[in-house]
Amino acid sequence: RHLIKVWDAKTGKVARTLFDGKIVSGVAFSPDGRHVAAVVSTFDPAKNQPGDVRPAFGTEVVVWDMTTG
C-alpha cells in the first residue's frame, strides 16, 4: 500500500492522509507549508497493449492545499 501521511510534529499523530493508492516517487512542501506536491505513477489497464505495457503507464504531479486536503 502506498500512502502519503502528514504527521503533527507536536502531537506525533497523523494530521492527514493525503494520498492512498498509487506509487509515489517524490514529495515536496511549499516554503510556506501550505501546499504539498507529489509525483505519482499511474497504470491504466485499458491502455495496456500485448507485448508493450509502456502506454499503460503515466506520471502525474498532484498538489494539495494543506488546509483543505
Side-chain angles (χ1 to χ4, degrees):
R1 211 168 125 179
H2 305 282
L3 301 168
I4 295 176
K5 290 187 177 186
V6 178
W7 298 79
D8 184 316
K10 292 179 183 177
T11 66
K13 295 182 180 182
V14 175
R16 188 179 305 271
T17 299
L18 298 177
F19 189 76
D20 187 357
K22 299 176 186 174
I23 297 171
V24 179
S25 58
V27 176
F29 285 87
S30 64
D32 63 6
R34 293 183 181 180
H35 297 91
V36 61
V39 178
V40 297
S41 297
T42 60
F43 181 77
D44 183 352
K47 294 181 180 178
N48 194 12
Q49 297 176 4
D52 188 3
V53 298
R54 291 176 295 171
F57 285 95
T59 303
E60 299 175 351
V61 175
V62 183
V63 180
W64 288 273
D65 181 323
M66 290 302 296
T67 59
T68 62

